[in-house]
Amino acid sequence: MKPADSSGGATAGDALVDLPGDTAGDGSITHYEAADGAGSGYAKSISYDSATDTFSVDNLAFDGDNTYTRSAAMPNIGGNPPAAGPFQVYEGPASTPDSVTGTPIPQFLHRAIYGKSTSGNTQFAIVRTGSYRDYGFGGFVYQRNGSVTLPTTGQANYKGQYAGLVDYNGDTGINYSSGDMAMQIDFKDFNAGDGVAATVSNRQYYDMSGANVTGAYLTALNSDLNGATYTELPSLVFNVGPGTNNAQGEIAGTLSSTVVDGTSGAVTTHESGQYYGVLAGDSTTGNDEVVGVIVVTSKKPGTGNTVTQRETGGFLLYRN
């Protein structure tokens, strides 16, 4: 399973540099979101500059000079409260001057999330826009710096944080998401690829001002489910099966969440999508970690099934 596209250009600083496979010979891997022709995967040459705490993206129209600054309203995310989160949030400029007259030109709404592991061996970035009536243009990238050592037996447990951007097809705007994540890997079975299980729980939604809007979402969801009484967002759960990894430590597969109707008791799929990731470090000694991205879609509650929402989240997990 090919998780993503490796196209793009090299960048500087704390760069999410483009390495199409292990071209450096050291096991490093970088994957960009695959371009779908409709806007996803357009973001290229994504990088972070720690000296100026700025985030750069190429190939997205109306985002100023491609430089994003740290959000004042939501500088961090991934924890609850967000201020405790390990990931950083960046905003595209609200306007940029006409290059000749200096007249301010309003720019589109762009937001980005950047995460780097404590070891520096793994990192991810996500960029989405909220100015189009459909999803618009954006992308994600995740990277392993260096190689991985994988065992052929035993199991491993990983824990960490998750954070994402929520955009819409049929509406404009962006929300943030966060959660806790746990993953387990069986390195012995399946014979056709390790078993990978994971759950994203304790999920929360925030608006661009940093206000928690999870309650409003749950009110609409419970109404759509005919009087259901959900008090927290459904957990995202990986679908377990063979063929989800390769010898380079890359993983990819499907995941979903389910809900129960408050009247009939029928169980239905609420969200579904894909996960992508890569292991780093030495899994034989426990000095290893996992980085990746999740993309799930669902019908936005309270819209009569007229709006589809997409949540694109990144995660960094450590051996626990």
Side-chain angles (χ1 to χ4, degrees), residues 125 160 181 197 242 269 304:
M181 187 166 176
T269 299

Side-chain angles (χ1 to χ4, degrees), residues 4-315:
D5 186 356
S6 291
S7 61
T11 51
D14 289 346
L16 289 158
V17 295
D18 177 42
L19 299 172
D22 183 14
T23 56
D26 64 354
S28 296
I29 290 175
T30 295
H31 282 302
Y32 281 83
E33 181 178 32
D36 63 0
S40 298
Y42 268 70
K44 300 297 181 184
S45 299
I46 298 172
S47 67
Y48 170 67
D49 186 346
S50 59
T52 59
D53 192 21
T54 55
F55 186 89
S56 298
V57 185
D58 185 33
N59 203 35
L60 300 181
F62 298 105
D63 67 344
D65 63 355
N66 299 350
T67 301
Y68 297 33
T69 56
R70 193 73 168 269
S71 171
M74 178 76 88
N76 289 76
I77 197 169
N80 190 14
F87 311 134
Q88 299 156 212
V89 180
Y90 295 86
E91 302 178 353
S95 66
T96 195
D98 180 297
S99 57
V100 175
T101 67
T103 302
I105 302 173
Q107 299 298 283
F108 288 177
L109 171 65
H110 289 92
R111 293 293 183 269
I113 294 177
Y114 170 69
K116 186 175 184 178
S117 70
T118 55
S119 70
N121 290 333
T122 56
Q123 48 191 333
F124 74 86
I126 300 164
V127 187
R128 295 300 192 203
T129 179
S131 292
Y132 297 82
R133 291 294 297 180
D134 55 15
Y135 292 133
F137 298 86
F140 65 74
V141 60
Y142 59 94
Q143 180 183 61
R144 177 180 75 205
N145 302 308
S147 62
V148 66
T149 301
L150 299 172
T152 57
T153 187
Q155 298 187 14
N157 187 63
Y158 302 86
K159 289 186 177 180
Q161 302 303 122
Y162 162 91
L165 296 170
V166 182
D167 58 356
Y168 304 96
N169 187 346
D171 199 0
T172 56
I174 283 181
N175 283 327
Y176 303 109
S177 64
S178 69
D180 302 319
M181 187 166 176
M183 177 181 290
Q184 301 80 39
I185 299 178
D186 186 337
F187 290 107
K188 182 178 181 180
D189 295 308
F190 300 91
N191 293 337
D194 301 339
V196 180
T199 302
V200 182
S201 59
N202 191 30
R203 297 165 66 200
Q204 304 286 319
Y205 286 155
Y206 302 90
D207 66 18
M208 287 183 292
S209 72
N212 193 316
V213 294
T214 310
Y217 181 94
L218 291 172
T219 297
L221 178 63
N222 287 330
S223 177
D224 283 359
L225 292 173
N226 301 308
T229 56
Y230 282 96
T231 58
E232 60 183 30
L233 296 174
S235 294
L236 296 171
V237 180
F238 282 21
N239 299 318
V240 179
T244 58
N245 74 311
N246 62 24
Q248 287 72 48
E250 298 178 271
I251 59 174
T254 61
L255 76 163
S256 62
S257 69
T258 58
V259 291
V260 180
D261 187 89
T263 299
S264 68
V267 179
T268 58
T269 299
H270 177 54
E271 299 156 292
S272 61
Q274 298 276 329
Y275 69 83
Y276 316 96
V278 62
L279 281 76
D282 189 342
S283 297
T284 65
T285 63
N287 184 29
D288 55 334
E289 57 195 53
V290 188
V291 63
V293 172
I294 288 170
V295 184
V296 292
T297 59
S298 61
K299 294 299 182 181
K300 183 181 179 181
T303 65
N305 292 331
T306 62
V307 177
T308 302
Q309 78 172 44
R310 175 179 62 178
E311 182 173 338
T312 308
F315 58 85

